[in-house]
């Protein structure tokens, strides 16, 4: 996951006074998963990270560090704790369309920008700027 900071997860967990095993139990994931995330050996899935953040009483944005001016559409979705299917459902569009917008592969119509920005709780301007960054990113750079 772009911008995930394993050390922040460990710091938040320690600040909460909770063991890796307890976080895992409360979030209904495997303890090994939490260990691997904290070591930086694995990247979390957004829906699982959202459950861990909820257990710790923090926002995903506390664990994922991507400045707003550098975010792609997918980054906005991640800091909101949403999967592509969740965003698609919230915006009333297909998961495939969400992925295509996040990769900058399709045109962002006014109607689509309104739907997605509303579902993400960001301005249309922020969505459009992140979309343009995704479209202009160098070849081989993940969106």
């Amino acid at each position: 996951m772009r911008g995930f900071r394993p050390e922040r997860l460990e710091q938040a967990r320690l600040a909460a006074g909770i063991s890796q095993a307890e976080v895992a139990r409360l979030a209904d994931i495997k303890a090994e998963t939490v260990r691997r995330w904290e070591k930086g050996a694995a990247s979390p899935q957004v829906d699982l990270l959202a459950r861990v953040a909820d257990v710790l009483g923090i926002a995903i944005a506390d664990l994922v560090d991507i400045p707003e001016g550098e975010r792609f559409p997918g980054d906005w979705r991640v800091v909101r704790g949403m999967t592509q299917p969740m965003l698609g459902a919230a915006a009333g569009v297909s998961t495939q369309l969400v992925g295509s917008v996040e990769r900058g592969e399709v045109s962002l119509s006014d109607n689509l920008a309104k739907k997605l920005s509303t579902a993400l709780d960001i301005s249309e301007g922020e969505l459009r700027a992140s979309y343009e960054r995704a479209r202009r990113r160098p070849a081989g750079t993940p969106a």
Side-chain angles (χ1 to χ4, degrees), residues 1 9 11 43 46-47 60 62 73 79-80 96 103 115 118 126 128 137:
M1 171 183 301
L9 174 58
Q11 290 166 356
S43 184
V46 67
D47 53 334
I60 287 182
D62 295 327
V79 298
R80 296 297 190 254
Q96 180 180 356
R103 292 184 300 273
K115 288 179 178 183
T118 298
E126 287 171 314
R128 287 188 180 284
R137 74 188 189 285

Side-chain angles (χ1 to χ4, degrees), residues 54-65:
D54 187 52
V55 165
L56 296 173
I58 60 173
I60 287 182
D62 295 327
L63 304 172
V64 176
D65 184 25

Side-chain angles (χ1 to χ4, degrees), residues 41-115:
S43 184
Q45 293 175 231
V46 67
D47 53 334
L48 301 182
L49 186 60
R51 294 192 331 223
V52 168
D54 187 52
V55 165
L56 296 173
I58 60 173
I60 287 182
D62 295 327
L63 304 172
V64 176
D65 184 25
I66 303 171
E68 289 186 15
E70 297 175 19
R71 289 181 184 167
F72 297 142
D75 298 328
W76 282 108
R77 175 181 52 76
V78 167
V79 298
R80 296 297 190 254
M82 302 173 85
T83 61
Q84 287 181 342
M86 290 166 73
L87 176 56
V93 300
S94 72
T95 300
Q96 180 180 356
L97 183 56
V98 170
S100 295
V101 168
E102 288 183 356
R103 292 184 300 273
E105 297 171 346
V106 297
S107 295
L108 185 61
S109 69
D110 290 344
N111 184 45
L112 182 55
K114 182 172 184 59
K115 288 179 178 183

